[in-house]
């Protein structure tokens, strides 16, 4: 995910998870952000300001007063950035922010901040569940701050429960949505990804080379741009995209059922899944044993075409398919566009080594029902996802501000 040209204020308070803020700072800088770190006195007990200065190339704010501190820093630091993120947010910092207390640089910045704030609490589970902390978090939410719920698990103090800082990827995803242009706010996107597994017996199945990367990239990008996203995915080994509703399926028939169920309430469908066109005619109850004959005959029968079935249910929804082709790319894409009654088909030449299945890049041509054809250069799948969504946004019916709110 790119944070190019974004300015982020990273507020670090004094909890053991402060060391994870260093990784976040590094990832943000790598993604193109300018990161200014402000630490509380307690945070500097866990990680030195020098660590953040080295990672970000910026001076680190630690004090309200003193040599080198601009007298108005506490005002403009939270106003001249794209977003503020608090990692970790301790019970103390949360309490001060909820009650308007500014007794150090970071808490004072939070009183004056006018930019979106992402609060990432991390602490012992009893502390987190304490009613005072929960009430303070509720206040912050009411005032428009976004609180990223901590995860459950083993905590540094030895306890097990809610209080663990979410993974850096989750924080980056949430922050990405906070600073993105939310041109899909209020839109409901249904996305499919991955292969399907068509079972032959309890240990064998027929499948294809799809990793799910393309569909997951579309789901991530759509959520970042403000959409509510449901991802129907075949078996993959990818991490769940943050914020996205996950629906896991195995076979083409399972995927058909889930897509048909969800399609009527979506605004757009993006079918990036490589759905198995055929499945074994019958599923053996027991493992098929190695027999006396050298060859095993398996009859494959055709699976339903999900997009064709959906076509009958289509009202105002925009439908986008993919075409994975080894030859006659544009002709085949056009044929599928018409046959499947699509608004757009994304044609990828899967012969090229850095395009199509399982790689992080893709070279695609967007073929629209109105005749427009746009060939894109080799891009990352995240970039391709954004190009598809750029095409989609102006074609969607805009949502009312109530529907578009987070
Ligand atoms: O998952 P990755 O490793 O990242 O790889 C990405 C990809 C190559 C799988 C992806 O970019 C892609 O091209 N997905 C579609 C693959 C495919 O099944 O293409 P197709 O030409 O066979 O199908 C055309 C369209 O019909 C697709 O949108 C497909 O989802 C849909 N379809 C296909 C078969 C079927 N029974 N029902 C369908 O709805």
């Amino acid at each position: 995910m790119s944070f190019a040209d974004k300015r982020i204020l990273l507020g670090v308070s004094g909890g053991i998870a402060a060391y994870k803020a260093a990784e976040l700072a590094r990832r943000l800088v790598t993604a193109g952000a300018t990161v200014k770190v402000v630490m509380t006195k307690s945070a500097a007990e866990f990680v030195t300001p020098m660590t953040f200065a080295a990672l970000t190339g910026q001076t680190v704010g630690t004090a309200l007063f003193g040599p080198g501190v601009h007298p108005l820093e506490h005002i403009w630091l939270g106003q001249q950035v794209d977003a503020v993120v608090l990692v970790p947010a301790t019970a103390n910092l949360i309490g001060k922010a909820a009650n308007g207390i500014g007794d150090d640089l970071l808490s004072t910045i939070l009183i004056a901040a006018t930019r979106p704030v992402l609060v990432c609490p991390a602490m012992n589970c009893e502390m987190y569940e304490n009613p005072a902390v929960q009430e303070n978090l509720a206040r912050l939410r009411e005032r428009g701050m976004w609180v990223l719920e901590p995860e459950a698990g083993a905590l540094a103090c030895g306890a097990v429960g809610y209080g663990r800082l979410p993974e850096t990827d989750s924080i980056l995803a949430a922050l990405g949505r906070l600073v993105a242009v939310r041109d899909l706010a209020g839109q409901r996107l249904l996305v499919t990804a991955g292969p399907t597994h068509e079972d032959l017996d309890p240990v064998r199945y027929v499948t294809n080379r799809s990793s799910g990367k393309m569909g997951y990239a579309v789901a991530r990008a759509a959520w970042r741009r403000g959409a509510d996203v449901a991802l129907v995915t075949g078996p993959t080994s990818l991490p769940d995209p943050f914020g996205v509703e996950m629906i896991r399926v195995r076979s083409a028939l399972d995927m058909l059922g889930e897509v048909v169920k969800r399609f009527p309430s979506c605004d757009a469908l993006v079918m990036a899944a490589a759905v198995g066109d055929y499945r074994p005619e019958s599923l053996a109850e027991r493992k098929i044993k190695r027999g006396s004959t050298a060859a095993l005959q398996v009859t494959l029968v055709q699976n339903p075409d999900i997009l064709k079935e959906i076509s009958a249910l289509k009202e105002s929804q925009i439908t986008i398919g993919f075409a994975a082709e080894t030859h006659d790319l544009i002709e085949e894409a056009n044929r599928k566009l018409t046959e499947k009654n699509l608004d757009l088909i994304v044609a990828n030449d899967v012969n090229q080594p850095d395009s199509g299945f399982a790689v992080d890049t893709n070279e695609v041509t967007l073929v629209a029902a109105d005749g427009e054809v746009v060939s894109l250069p080799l891009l990352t799948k995240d970039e391709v996802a954004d190009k598809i969504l750029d095409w989609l946004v102006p074609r969607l019916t805009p949502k009312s501000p109530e529907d578009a709110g987070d």
Side-chain angles (χ1 to χ4, degrees):
M1 185 191 317
S2 171
F3 279 86
D5 304 326
K6 299 295 179 202
R7 291 154 307 159
I8 305 293
L9 178 80
L10 170 56
V12 186
S13 55
I16 181 62
Y19 79 93
K20 296 183 181 172
E23 165 69 359
L24 179 66
R26 190 191 65 78
R27 294 275 302 275
L28 281 167
V29 169
T30 308
T34 302
V35 181
K36 171 77 182 177
V37 175
V38 173
M39 304 176 76
T40 64
K41 195 161 173 270
S42 309
E45 297 285 333
F46 291 90
V47 187
T48 65
M50 176 78 83
T51 304
F52 288 105
L55 287 169
T56 62
Q58 307 281 331
T59 55
V60 173
T62 51
L64 257 176
F65 312 105
V69 177
H70 190 284
L72 293 181
E73 215 172 51
H74 63 286
I75 306 287
W76 50 255
L77 276 179
Q79 299 183 348
Q80 296 183 353
V81 288
D82 293 290
V84 177
V85 56
L86 305 176
V87 176
T90 57
N92 188 47
L93 181 65
I94 291 165
K96 286 199 274 185
N99 291 284
I101 296 169
D103 62 356
D104 63 4
L105 180 60
L106 184 55
S107 53
T108 311
I109 286 171
L110 292 177
I111 300 174
T114 52
R115 307 302 298 152
V117 179
L118 176 64
V119 184
C120 304
M123 63 196 77
N124 160 271
C125 48
E126 269 88 26
M127 287 173 80
Y128 180 66
E129 280 156 21
N130 185 297
V133 174
Q134 288 302 317
E135 281 165 26
N136 287 333
L137 284 170
R139 276 197 199 179
L140 296 184
R141 282 194 199 92
E142 276 164 27
R143 292 185 202 143
M145 289 191 188
W146 187 1
V147 177
L148 195 60
E149 296 294 333
E151 292 174 355
L155 305 174
C157 57
V160 177
Y162 281 94
R164 204 165 68 180
L165 190 74
E167 293 301 319
T168 305
D169 278 340
S170 304
I171 298 172
L172 283 170
L175 196 55
R177 178 155 157 142
L178 211 59
V179 299
V181 175
R182 282 193 237 169
D183 49 7
L184 283 169
Q187 305 288 351
R188 286 154 305 176
L189 257 72
L190 183 57
V191 181
T192 69
T196 59
H197 287 184
E198 310 298 331
D199 290 333
L200 175 61
D201 72 9
V203 299
R204 301 183 182 90
Y205 54 85
V206 178
T207 189
N208 59 62
R209 292 173 48 218
S210 170
S211 63
K213 287 181 177 181
M214 190 63 249
Y216 277 55
V218 173
R220 272 196 307 272
W223 184 80
R224 174 174 39 79
R225 292 169 69 155
D228 289 334
V229 184
L231 177 62
V232 180
T233 177
T236 75
S237 54
L238 301 175
D240 291 356
F242 184 79
V244 168
E245 183 192 354
M246 297 297 289
I247 303 109
R248 290 185 184 77
V249 297
R250 185 167 173 84
S251 67
L253 289 176
D254 296 341
M255 187 172 279
L256 173 70
E258 294 297 339
V259 172
V260 165
K261 190 159 72 183
R262 289 174 165 77
F263 183 73
S265 60
C266 81
D267 298 297
L269 167 68
V270 183
M271 280 284 299
V275 185
D277 279 315
Y278 292 92
R279 66 177 185 278
E281 186 173 36
S282 56
L283 169 63
E285 265 178 37
R286 295 170 164 208
K287 181 180 170 189
I288 300 169
K289 293 287 177 201
R290 193 181 161 91
S292 50
T293 53
L296 172 69
Q297 297 282 345
V298 177
T299 304
L300 299 177
V301 295
Q302 217 169 47
N303 272 324
D305 185 317
I306 301 177
L307 279 173
K308 272 194 192 167
E309 306 252 341
I310 285 299
S311 172
L313 308 173
K314 192 166 166 174
E315 292 175 343
S316 60
Q317 296 92 341
I318 294 178
T319 52
I320 300 176
F322 275 71
E325 304 298 342
T326 52
H327 58 278
D328 303 331
L329 184 65
I330 303 302
E331 292 88 322
E332 282 303 300
N334 266 310
R335 183 179 62 76
K336 289 176 182 173
L337 181 82
T338 311
E339 270 182 20
K340 296 171 192 258
N341 187 22
L342 299 170
D343 298 286
L344 180 78
I345 194 151
V346 182
N348 39 193
D349 181 348
V350 293
N351 274 330
Q352 298 179 45
D354 44 9
S355 188
F357 291 105
V359 289
D360 291 324
T361 48
N362 210 356
E363 189 168 337
V364 303
T365 301
L366 306 184
V367 182
D370 62 9
E372 192 188 12
V373 177
V374 179
S375 293
L376 298 172
L378 185 71
L379 298 171
T380 65
K381 284 184 175 167
D382 288 326
E383 290 166 335
V384 170
D386 271 317
K387 295 286 181 196
I388 296 166
L389 298 177
D390 289 346
W391 179 91
L392 173 66
V393 166
R395 288 156 178 92
L396 288 165
T397 309
K399 296 288 173 179
S400 65
E402 303 86 68
D403 288 338
D406 248 329

